[in-house]
Amino acid sequence: MTATSAPALTTPRERIKRGLDVVQAARHQGLVTTAQLIAGVGNLAVTLVLIRVLPPGEYAGFVAFVAAYVLLRAVAAGATAAVALDPRLHGRFAPRALGLGVAVGVLVVAASGALASVTGLSVPAVVTLGAVAPGAAAMALARGRLYGEERALGTAATLVAEPLARALVALLLVPLFGATGAVIAVGAAGYLALASALLSARRGPSRPVDVPELTNRGSAAVASAFLLVAVVASQDVVLANRLLPGGEAGTLAAVATLGGAAYFATATIPLVLMPRSARGGRGSMAVAVSLTVALSLAAVAAVAAVPDAWYPLLLGEAYGGVQTLALPYVSAMAALGLAQVLLAQLCAVRRPGVAVGLGALAATVQLLLLLGAQTAGDVVTATVVSCALLLAGAGTATWLTARPVATPAGRLVPAGIDVAVEPPSVSQQALDVAARRRFFSGVPWLLLAAVVTGVTLRLLVTRGIWVDEAISIRQAQQPWLEMIAQLREFDVHPPLYHSVLWLVVHLTGSTSEWVVRLPSLVAGTALIPLFYVMGRDLWDRRTGLVAAWLVAVSPAAVWYAQEARMYAFWMLGTTLVAWAQLRIQRHGRGRLADWSVFTVSSVALMYTQWFTVLPLVVHHLVFAVFAVRQARGGQWGLVRRWSSSVLVSLAAVAPLVPLLLGQIGGVKSVTAGSAAIAGQAGAANSQMAAGNPDAYAVIANAVWALWGYHAASAMVLLGALWPLMLLLAFAALGRGRSRAVVVLGLVALLPPLLLFAIGFERRQFFELRYFTSTVPLLLLLVARLVASWPRGPVTRVVVPVVVAASLMAGLADQQLNHSNPRTYDFRGAAAWIDDRADGDDVLLYAPGFLHDELTYYSAGIPIVQVGTQLPPTPAGGRTVFVLGSFFEREGVSAQVGSALSQLKTSGARLVARHETANVTVWQYEVEGP
Amino acid sequence: MSPEAGPLGVPRPARVRIAVAANAVAAVWYFAWLLHPDRIGNPWLYALLLAAEAFNLVQAAGFWWTVLHDRGQQQPSPKPMPTSRVDVLVPRYDEPEDVVGPVLQAAAAMRGATVTVYLLDDGDSLEMELLAAQCGVRYLTREHHEGAKAGNINAALARTDGEFVVVFDCDHVPHPDFLVRTLGHLSDPRTAFVQTPQYYTNADRNPVAAAASSQQALFFGSIARGKAALGAMFCCGTNVVFRRAALESVGGFPERSLTEDFELSINLQERGWRTAYVPEVLAHGLGPQDMAGYVSQQLRWARGCLSALGRLARATLPLRVKAQYLLSSLYFLSGWTALIYMSLPVVRILTGEQPVAAATADAFLLHFAPYFALALTTVAVAGAGTYRFAAFAVATASFWIHVTAALMTLARRRGSFVVTPKTGSGSWQPLSVWPALLAMLVLLLSAAWGLARSQDAGMVNNVAFAVMHLSVLGTGVAWALRPAALARRAAAGLPQGDSRWRSTVDHHGIAAVKGAPSREPVPAP
């Protein structure tokens, strides 16, 4: 018996009604948006007039007042969204809001003297602020009711009324009272707009409220979601003022002004959307998204079309450098506007909690990134990242809520049987909402918490740029073709990661630490939700949650998500490939979508890391066994699709062959000559001692994979705990194992096993970085174990928590303990030198492959490799810094010792010696000739 | 198509062969390293370690030999003999009515022969007589209760005359097709008995029974199938069909043994009788309900098997049969090895002395780890996953039972036949595991003292060993210390009562027998 879905039945009448709905939605949105644009232009016009009328000092006071007023309105604006979704809230909250507003106003007025001295505002301005507080709260609710009752004209009227009133009152009062008059005009305009809103609400019969009632908790969530979007839109400017030097902060302010205009233009769209969408108005979402995209693209296109030379003319010479940042920032604000529309849709389908979670995540990410920002470019990148994250999250969540829902009409029915479609007893809207709720009950808060924790940990404590990262950064700054040629000649990696890095560097124009690490951060963070979805898909929701948490706090996952190298990509791709394979095996010959993911991810992995070939071979061996079994049963579907996948993969990987051959040639010549190749100059130094791989090497790699990198002394003690592995082996007796566990186990363990064998010939290959792909699979297996073995109600909670806590302990030691042999603090060393150096000084360094590193962390003085000729000493003498690292490498100690000896012999005086993690700096004073 | 693992587990022979081969290589790799003279650290400790390792290697080799003969797939049953007269004997001592009643009802309902059921009541209970009448079975009692269970059966043998005799413990409920599936194997006149597995229904809801059941599953699965293929299966006292002539040829059950079934098997084998084994769960019994019951049962088995060693040594048996019987008897010395393994880290922590010298921990691990891992893998593969950690932990925590039994056997102290309790107390029973608790205390104090004294890698390594032993012992004794909580946990999400029949029926095709109902209602005792 086959099954098919019953076709969706629509009548011409329904189609006409749908068309009318769309037209109405478009008209409504168009009217309100036009009013919003007029309001924006009006406010701008008033501001421009005041700039010319008021003296600079008074204008500054006025701007400060407006900023405080906008903040007040922004806080209240969340309430607008909640009331828009359920206009009945107006009646419920209006008295309380008014009371609260009056209380705040009285307090502000009472404390006006103190507040004036603290804020720098004039006392009349503070008093005015207190006076407008009740109005701001009432305005938020009144406008919300207009949106909620879908009173387009009334909404438009109140939007336009405000700048109009502001202009008129200002015209009257500014000549009399100056800035105070302008301030009063702003407050009065607010009250006039409120009056307009209240009057509009009374005019004509209101639309009957036919949306489900919003609870207090729900309304708070909706308000919070919109507030968080406002935070994302504005906290960059606030923090930039505190964190950046004046010039950089000014640049950002200029950029933010442009971006703010783009965001402002679309701000009303979600508010118009929500009530329509909540009552099941068809086409409203499409109209809202289309309008937002159109306005956003227009803004982006306008900014892109402005010639660079115009910026100094428009904004002044001081802002000549704004053009490189304007486009990404305006794009970010456009993305934020679109994200806000999507979040509004989530609120409309009664999932405001998801919207709050996403908003909180974006705001947190942005805040963490902002705290590390050093330039306006960094701030812009922070905003771009957080807005992109929010848009991606909101888009995914909205898509998931919009998935087809199993309804009585859409149930699976046997083919060839006519089904009489009975009208459902409940409304379609109710069914949709219920289904969406069911889906999102599966996206728990614990997952969101894991993502937030994971992102925080990945941003919180970072190490300086490592030697190999510095090489990648240098390569990424070259033209793309030149970079590829460099890779071919001097590197040992395929080009995908480098190309991504190249794109990021060239798009942002920045090589700051976290910009170059952004791709890894994104890939490393993406692992967290991927683990959840994969765990839930392969086993159960509990395993998904445990897996998400384990990878969120996994030291190895955090480490590589903080490194501007390809390992985070590798982990992400490996996980995708494994998941795709298991899904394929679950469905006989496999679904095309899964085969596509498998093939594309496999190819992408081959373009990321050559050692991917090992897990891929295991994947295909598993497929081979599976295919043989199916073929024996006369089923050839899998064989055909597998063969196609292999052929497509081979064809896609074929272009890599010349690069690979070039790199092999490079490796041969390098091994015959110098000690290391550029692509991984520092790799050898993070490996274990020489000699054959042994049991402790296995333990060490296992510890690295799960608990991260630690000092040698800690590794010895951890290695001594191996008897606990016996306990684990005993505990595994009689435990069930799924196909997923077996396949993941094979793909996780066979590559390191092979590299262990190869290690007897080439010791350096038995090292975690060459089988990083094992890390995510091992974590998934641990997650499965932790999620499924404990049976008791207490142990089911305690065991996952204890395992996660042990990983966090490992993470803390890895990140904070500078005895970690893999931590090289070149950043700290360079900063130390920078504090003491001036232009005539010189920095000697060894070994030679630190060149890229010290170029990246330039201390502003010439760098010279130990053993080469120093520039002549100026007459006034100079300071010579000697930086040494990697002393365990052959010859390095001798080189540094020789340099120090020569300096001593030449009469130089040792002033200071600075030691930081695995790096030592000597400071010598050299007399002039 | 892969065979499905039923309650007893059916391994894939190819996998078993690969595991055994790899395990044998790893054993050679490890022992070649261990036996090198340079490895001798403290000679006494080294000798102890070597003795324990050698004993385990012998047991392991015996296990490999046995399981290599397990063909997994069940042979088709010979045709039943419906005209046969079968006496079903249900010996009873002090078991309550609710335990005995279902057995009598089910026994009376057996198909495939002319069945006469006898309740052999050594408790002389009027209620039992009434129960027997209600169930339509005959009630036998005797004037002098000598020879415990064996004496009870022998007395009944003298008063019955069926061609075949079935023995069920009074907590083992037979399936209606018990005789249909077993009697045909006695069509060979040289076969003395057909044994079937013991299976504990209360494993569903009682952790101790579950652990015992897991131990039983490994034995009645691969091991028993292998022994049967080698012609060395022995009688296990219940769920067994005898040829009366065979019993009479050896004078019935030996009455002076604690494990009368084992010695009976030796006697029969000595007389040239053959044995058969049907690896189907055809009767459901009750496992030990608490640790006190488990300890009582294990102590009786250990004492019986160890005391039979002398008889076994003297017996004139085919070499393979003798070797198999010896392996089974000697298993009850394995507690000594657990004691040695637990002692070594304690001695190292307290005195610094260790058995192996002139070797780095890395070298030890390199040689030991593969042997250990493959040994466990072989057990897992051969047992098809039926042997669980709980079974291992309970067995390890019962190490002292083997020690006690060996010492009592050496001292020639006679023990009395103690019926395994069929109802658990469900209470705190620390006294039933006090030697294990003492061992845990010693390990704990040693570990704490060691860590306080030094935190170097050597000390940490031995403390880790102590922690490992503590964890295993702790799991093993847990059911004596918190039986109620663990019983609740074990019950969560597991099939209950007769649902076990369904898996048995599905896996072994009993339901396919014409006329048999697809789901036989068998009340859980």
Side-chain angles (χ1 to χ4, degrees):
Chain A
M1 195 160 73
T2 59
T4 180
S5 295
L9 301 177
T10 53
T11 62
R13 189 174 172 182
E14 281 178 321
R15 283 198 290 272
I16 291 168
K17 187 175 181 309
R18 187 178 203 159
L20 287 174
D21 270 0
V22 172
V23 170
Q24 196 184 28
R27 207 169 56 190
H28 196 160
Q29 283 282 14
L31 187 60
V32 176
T33 304
T34 305
Q36 172 80 343
L37 292 176
I38 291 171
V41 172
N43 282 332
L44 184 65
V46 172
T47 307
L48 288 175
V49 170
L50 289 175
I51 265 188
R52 299 194 177 274
V53 172
L54 295 175
E58 288 192 22
Y59 179 71
F62 168 73
V63 170
F65 168 80
V66 171
Y69 181 59
V70 167
L71 184 67
L72 198 64
R73 292 276 293 270
V75 172
T80 307
V83 179
L85 195 52
D86 180 5
R88 286 166 295 209
L89 291 177
H90 183 270
R92 205 191 315 168
F93 288 141
R96 281 184 245 173
L98 195 63
L100 183 69
V102 169
V104 170
V106 169
L107 280 176
V108 169
V109 170
S112 55
L115 285 174
S117 62
V118 170
T119 59
L121 293 171
S122 65
V123 173
V126 175
V127 171
T128 308
L129 202 60
V132 299
M139 168 74 101
L141 297 178
R143 280 192 173 164
R145 182 169 60 172
L146 290 178
Y147 285 115
E149 292 179 353
E150 298 181 35
R151 293 174 183 273
L153 268 174
T155 312
T158 181
L159 287 172
V160 174
E162 190 162 12
L164 199 63
R166 192 181 289 182
L168 289 174
V169 178
L171 195 63
L172 289 172
L173 298 185
V174 168
L176 298 173
F177 305 110
T180 304
V183 163
I184 294 171
V186 169
Y191 275 105
L192 286 171
L194 171 63
S196 163
L198 294 174
L199 285 173
S200 299
R202 289 188 175 184
R203 214 188 301 154
S206 64
R207 183 188 173 84
V209 179
D210 55 357
V211 293
E213 197 167 345
L214 204 59
T215 60
N216 285 353
R217 192 175 160 187
S219 54
V222 173
S224 303
F226 277 77
L227 190 59
L228 285 165
V229 173
V231 168
V232 173
S234 56
Q235 70 174 342
D236 52 356
V237 182
V238 176
L239 283 173
N241 263 333
R242 291 194 63 85
L243 297 173
L244 300 186
E248 290 287 307
T251 301
L252 186 84
V255 172
T257 305
L258 297 172
Y263 172 67
F264 179 83
T266 59
T268 57
I269 295 175
L271 299 170
V272 175
L273 163 72
M274 277 199 297
R276 298 186 69 85
S277 191
R279 65 175 174 80
R282 282 171 287 193
S284 52
M285 180 65 177
V287 168
V289 169
S290 305
L291 190 59
T292 310
V293 169
L295 285 171
S296 302
L297 286 179
V300 172
V303 172
V306 173
D308 288 355
W310 288 19
Y311 282 96
L313 296 174
L314 287 172
L315 302 168
E317 286 299 327
Y319 302 111
V322 161
Q323 65 269 24
T324 53
L325 301 175
L327 190 59
Y329 194 85
V330 170
S331 303
M333 287 297 114
L336 187 64
L338 186 55
Q340 189 166 233
V341 170
L342 300 175
L343 295 181
Q345 173 68 7
L346 286 173
C347 293
V349 297
R350 295 297 192 264
R351 300 312 304 172
V354 178
V356 173
L358 292 168
L361 177 65
T364 309
V365 169
Q366 187 189 31
L367 178 64
L368 290 168
L369 293 176
L370 286 172
L371 292 176
Q374 293 166 346
T375 65
D378 292 350
V379 173
V380 170
T381 312
T383 303
V384 169
V385 170
S386 55
C387 292
L389 184 67
L390 187 58
L391 180 60
T396 308
T398 311
W399 174 72
L400 290 172
T401 55
R403 291 196 319 173
V405 182
T407 64
R411 67 186 185 272
L412 295 179
V413 294
I417 297 176
D418 292 331
V419 179
V421 180
E422 296 169 9
S425 56
V426 236
S427 72
Q428 186 63 43
Q429 178 201 349
L431 281 171
D432 285 354
V433 169
R436 287 162 188 166
R437 279 185 180 182
R438 273 200 303 279
F439 178 82
F440 268 108
S441 67
V443 181
W445 285 105
L446 275 174
L447 172 63
L448 291 174
V451 174
V452 171
T453 306
V455 171
T456 308
L457 291 174
R458 282 154 178 77
L459 291 170
L460 208 57
V461 180
T462 59
R463 56 197 183 278
I465 291 290
W466 153 249
V467 177
D468 292 358
E469 293 177 277
I471 294 167
S472 298
I473 295 165
R474 193 246 308 149
Q475 291 168 336
Q477 294 175 76
Q478 299 164 335
W480 189 76
L481 285 175
E482 199 173 309
M483 181 186 76
I484 297 297
Q486 284 253 328
L487 286 179
R488 181 189 161 100
E489 294 294 321
F490 304 112
D491 209 298
V492 288
H493 298 99
L496 179 62
Y497 174 77
H498 293 79
S499 299
V500 172
L501 185 61
W502 182 90
L503 201 63
V504 169
V505 166
H506 284 262
L507 271 181
T508 61
S510 169
T511 55
S512 66
E513 281 178 10
W514 71 266
V515 168
V516 295
R517 286 169 170 171
L518 195 59
S520 297
L521 174 69
V522 171
T525 305
L527 265 181
I528 302 170
L530 178 63
F531 263 46
Y532 171 75
V533 180
M534 185 174 172
R536 197 172 77 161
D537 181 50
L538 293 181
W539 297 291
D540 51 39
R541 185 163 169 263
R542 176 180 162 74
T543 306
L545 272 178
V546 173
W549 269 100
L550 291 192
V551 78
V553 302
S554 155
V558 170
W559 181 272
Y560 287 118
Q562 294 179 330
E563 192 172 275
R565 298 286 283 173
M566 68 291 300
Y567 301 104
F569 277 43
W570 194 9
M571 288 199 269
L572 182 68
T574 303
T575 312
L576 275 172
V577 169
W579 186 23
Q581 175 166 44
L582 291 167
R583 286 179 62 85
I584 288 166
Q585 291 182 322
R586 194 167 56 191
H587 296 115
R589 63 181 181 166
R591 295 174 176 168
L592 275 177
D594 296 328
W595 275 113
S596 304
V597 172
F598 178 82
T599 310
V600 170
S601 305
S602 302
V603 171
L605 279 178
M606 280 307 298
Y607 274 80
T608 303
Q609 236 291 352
W610 296 125
F611 280 88
T612 289
V613 74
L614 297 178
L616 284 183
V617 164
V618 181
H619 280 296
H620 285 284
L621 283 176
V622 171
F623 266 137
V625 172
F626 200 61
V628 167
R629 281 189 190 167
Q630 290 217 346
R632 278 185 188 162
Q635 295 175 310
W636 292 91
L638 180 89
V639 178
R640 277 194 289 273
R641 291 193 172 181
W642 177 43
S643 310
S644 307
S645 169
V646 170
L647 288 176
V648 169
S649 302
L650 288 176
V653 170
L656 285 176
V657 172
L659 183 80
L660 178 62
L661 293 177
Q663 291 186 349
I664 290 172
V667 170
K668 279 182 182 168
S669 63
V670 164
T671 33
S674 61
I677 41 184
Q680 47 182 167
N685 296 87
S686 58
Q687 289 159 187
M688 297 190 64
N692 287 332
D694 52 23
Y696 271 138
V698 175
I699 293 174
N701 275 289
V703 171
W704 291 339
L706 290 175
W707 286 279
Y709 299 114
H710 305 284
S713 55
M715 289 300 294
V716 169
L717 290 180
L718 286 170
L721 292 174
W722 64 262
L724 299 181
M725 293 299 292
L726 305 186
L727 183 63
L728 192 68
F730 284 131
L733 275 172
R735 302 283 180 180
R737 58 191 188 286
S738 60
R739 175 188 287 158
V741 167
V742 173
V743 172
L744 289 179
L746 287 173
V747 181
L749 299 180
L750 286 185
L753 200 64
L754 189 64
L755 288 170
F756 181 83
I758 292 173
F760 285 92
E761 180 61 29
R762 297 287 174 92
R763 174 64 185 87
Q764 71 270 24
F765 285 142
F766 186 60
E767 209 264 349
L768 185 60
R769 73 173 58 223
Y770 298 111
F771 50 90
T772 313
S773 56
T774 288
V775 172
L777 307 182
L778 212 52
L779 284 169
L780 276 167
L781 290 172
V782 171
R784 179 61 188 152
L785 182 155
V786 165
S788 62
W789 282 15
R791 302 281 303 278
V794 178
T795 50
R796 280 166 67 84
V797 175
V798 168
V799 172
V801 168
V802 166
V803 171
S806 81
L807 295 189
M808 288 191 81
L811 179 64
D813 184 62
Q814 171 185 275
Q815 303 291 97
L816 302 174
N817 186 351
H818 277 200
S819 304
N820 181 347
R822 300 200 181 219
T823 302
Y824 287 78
D825 188 13
F826 294 107
R827 178 171 60 187
W832 188 83
I833 295 169
D834 198 22
D835 285 346
R836 290 160 178 74
D838 61 35
D840 291 330
D841 298 342
V842 67
L843 170 60
L844 281 169
Y845 68 91
F849 58 71
L850 292 185
H851 183 268
D852 287 330
E853 182 76 50
L854 296 175
T855 304
Y856 182 83
Y857 285 123
S858 169
I861 55 175
I863 58 169
V864 179
Q865 186 181 345
V866 167
T868 50
Q869 187 64 43
L870 278 174
T873 307
R878 70 178 171 197
T879 301
V880 174
F881 296 93
V882 181
L883 183 148
S885 183
F886 300 96
F887 292 108
E888 68 282 0
R889 280 182 83 108
E890 192 180 347
V892 174
S893 293
Q895 285 178 40
V896 174
S898 167
L900 297 177
S901 171
Q902 281 180 19
L903 281 167
K904 201 172 174 184
T905 310
S906 66
R909 185 172 61 88
L910 177 64
V911 178
R913 175 186 157 128
H914 176 67
E915 288 203 29
T916 179
N918 290 310
V919 183
T920 306
V921 184
W922 292 265
Q923 181 185 2
Y924 277 91
E925 292 293 343
V926 180
E927 300 281 330
Chain B
M1 286 292 289
S2 64
E4 288 184 79
L8 301 179
V10 181
R12 292 169 187 265
R15 287 187 186 176
V16 174
R17 281 195 287 271
I18 292 170
V20 168
N23 208 166
V25 172
V28 172
W29 167 248
Y30 172 53
F31 278 90
W33 176 85
L34 184 64
L35 290 171
H36 194 282
D38 289 348
R39 307 284 173 256
I40 302 174
N42 180 300
W44 294 103
L45 295 178
Y46 180 78
L48 278 176
L49 175 67
L50 205 59
E53 292 290 61
F55 176 85
N56 277 337
L57 181 64
V58 169
Q59 284 287 314
F63 178 72
W64 304 338
W65 174 40
T66 309
V67 298
L68 281 175
H69 285 81
D70 173 18
R71 290 290 167 267
Q73 298 291 356
Q74 188 189 336
Q75 300 300 314
S77 296
K79 274 191 171 179
M81 300 183 288
T83 56
S84 308
R85 285 194 305 113
V86 178
D87 294 329
V88 179
L89 309 183
V90 183
R92 182 254 172 192
Y93 180 61
D94 58 0
E95 291 81 357
E97 283 177 62
D98 61 336
V99 171
V100 181
V103 180
L104 299 179
Q105 289 169 355
M110 287 195 299
R111 296 180 282 252
T114 305
V115 177
T116 310
V117 182
Y118 297 91
L119 175 60
L120 316 182
D121 184 18
D122 256 2
D124 298 336
S125 160
L126 285 175
E127 288 81 6
M128 283 295 144
E129 191 171 359
L130 184 63
L131 177 69
Q134 285 171 344
C135 297
V137 305
R138 300 192 185 181
Y139 179 79
L140 294 181
T141 185
R142 54 183 177 147
E143 197 168 333
H144 302 290
H145 303 297
E146 291 168 345
K149 177 183 170 186
N152 197 357
I153 294 172
N154 286 342
L157 285 174
R159 297 159 68 181
T160 56
D161 59 356
E163 186 184 354
F164 301 105
V165 176
V166 178
V167 176
F168 288 122
D169 279 355
C170 65
D171 58 339
H172 278 71
V173 181
H175 192 276
D177 282 335
F178 181 90
L179 295 174
V180 174
R181 308 294 288 174
T182 53
L183 268 186
H185 291 273
L186 289 165
S187 56
D188 179 355
R190 293 168 297 177
T191 303
F193 64 82
V194 182
Q195 177 67 52
T196 70
Q198 289 182 26
Y199 187 77
Y200 300 149
T201 46
N202 56 339
D204 284 354
R205 52 192 176 277
N206 185 297
V208 180
S213 178
S214 175
Q215 294 169 353
Q216 294 283 66
L218 181 65
F219 175 77
F220 283 109
S222 272
I223 295 176
R225 287 193 299 260
K227 282 183 183 295
L230 288 162
M233 185 58 196
F234 51 81
C235 165
C236 299
T238 181
N239 313 341
V240 57
V241 192
F242 291 99
R243 184 186 300 282
R244 180 179 289 272
L247 283 176
E248 287 174 349
S249 72
V250 294
F253 280 76
E255 296 183 15
R256 295 174 61 82
S257 170
L258 288 176
T259 47
E260 74 293 338
D261 38 16
F262 190 68
E263 285 208 29
L264 172 67
S265 306
I266 298 171
N267 295 344
L268 290 168
Q269 291 268 10
E270 239 182 350
R271 292 292 182 106
W273 288 100
R274 293 182 181 178
T275 62
Y277 176 64
V278 175
E280 296 176 28
V281 177
L282 295 169
H284 278 187
L286 285 178
Q289 298 271 27
D290 53 24
M291 280 305 283
Y294 178 82
V295 167
S296 159
Q297 180 196 61
Q298 292 293 313
L299 190 58
R300 180 164 63 81
W301 289 357
R303 291 197 60 196
C305 286
L306 291 176
S307 60
L309 275 172
R311 168 79 183 88
L312 193 54
R314 293 190 303 274
T316 311
L317 295 172
L319 191 57
R320 66 174 193 292
V321 176
K322 194 166 189 170
Q324 280 292 332
Y325 277 40
L326 271 173
L327 283 169
S328 295
S329 293
L330 288 173
Y331 164 78
F332 291 99
L333 288 177
S334 56
W336 285 95
T337 65
L339 180 62
I340 291 171
Y341 293 141
M342 279 184 264
S343 305
L344 291 177
V346 174
V347 172
R348 166 66 174 78
I349 289 169
L350 298 180
T351 69
E353 292 292 323
Q354 54 187 23
V356 178
T360 60
D362 171 64
F364 174 70
L365 195 54
L366 191 66
H367 290 86
F368 172 72
Y371 172 63
F372 171 82
L374 285 165
L376 285 192
T377 305
T378 308
V379 170
V381 170
T386 52
Y387 191 71
R388 297 162 199 273
F389 175 58
F392 170 77
V394 170
T396 305
S398 307
F399 72 93
W400 58 275
I401 293 175
H402 297 180
V403 174
T404 308
L407 293 177
M408 290 176 83
T409 304
L410 279 176
R412 295 181 178 277
R413 282 186 57 182
R414 273 188 59 82
S416 57
F417 188 96
V418 180
V419 177
T420 305
K422 302 300 184 292
T423 50
S425 66
S427 60
W428 202 53
Q429 299 175 322
L431 290 180
S432 65
V433 291
W434 73 265
L437 289 174
L438 183 64
M440 288 178 68
L441 185 67
V442 171
L443 284 163
L444 190 65
L445 292 177
S446 310
W449 188 77
L451 273 186
R453 207 178 51 149
S454 163
Q455 294 87 40
D456 64 20
M459 182 62 77
V460 168
N461 184 251
N462 280 279
V463 168
F465 263 116
V467 169
M468 181 200 74
H469 290 304
L470 268 171
S471 305
V472 174
L473 290 175
T475 307
V477 303
W479 296 301
L481 302 181
R482 41 197 292 261
L486 291 167
R488 278 198 302 275
R489 196 186 72 170
L494 288 174
Q496 294 289 318
D498 68 342
S499 62
R500 291 277 188 179
W501 278 117
R502 258 165 266 164
S503 62
T504 310
V505 168
D506 292 342
H507 288 304
H508 295 285
I510 293 176
V513 178
K514 194 173 179 182
S518 59
R519 287 181 199 168
E520 203 62 41
V522 178

